[in-house]
Amino acid sequence: VPMGVLSCMKYLMFIFNVLVFAGGTCLVGVGVWVAVDPAGFQDVVAARAVLSAGAWLLLAVGIALSLLGFLGCCGVLRRSRPLLLL
C-alpha cells in the first residue's frame, strides 16, 4: 500500500474519531441539561415523555461515545492497533 494512502487513512480516522468525540460530548451536554433543568427542556421540545430516564441514557451514551472517540484519537496518533480495535 503506498505511503500516501496510509497517511490519508490516518487523517481520515483521526477526523472521524474527533467527530465521534464531539458528538458524545454534545450528548453529555444535552443529558446534563435535561437532568438539571427538565422544565427548560420541555419548553424547547414539546415532548413530555420520561425525561429522567432519557437524561441518564443520554449521559451514558454520550460518555461512552466520548471515551470511544478519545481512545480512537489516541490510537491513531500512537498507531496503536489495540486502541483502534477497541
Side-chain angles (χ1 to χ4, degrees):
V1 180
M3 192 62 171
V5 173
L6 292 176
S7 179
C8 181
M9 282 183 61
K10 177 182 174 182
Y11 290 119
L12 287 175
M13 287 180 67
F14 183 78
I15 290 170
F16 176 75
N17 282 307
V18 166
L19 291 175
V20 169
F21 178 76
T25 305
C26 289
L27 283 178
V28 168
V30 171
V32 167
W33 177 33
V34 172
V36 170
D37 185 24
F41 185 77
Q42 285 178 353
D43 292 342
V44 174
V45 180
R48 302 237 190 257
V50 215
L51 288 178
S52 177
W56 290 110
L57 182 67
L58 281 175
L59 281 170
V61 170
I63 289 171
L65 282 176
S66 295
L67 183 63
L68 188 71
F70 179 75
L71 291 176
C73 287
C74 290
V76 168
L77 292 176
R78 294 176 160 240
R79 295 183 181 161
S80 170
R81 187 176 177 132
L83 280 178
L84 289 174
L85 290 175
L86 195 81

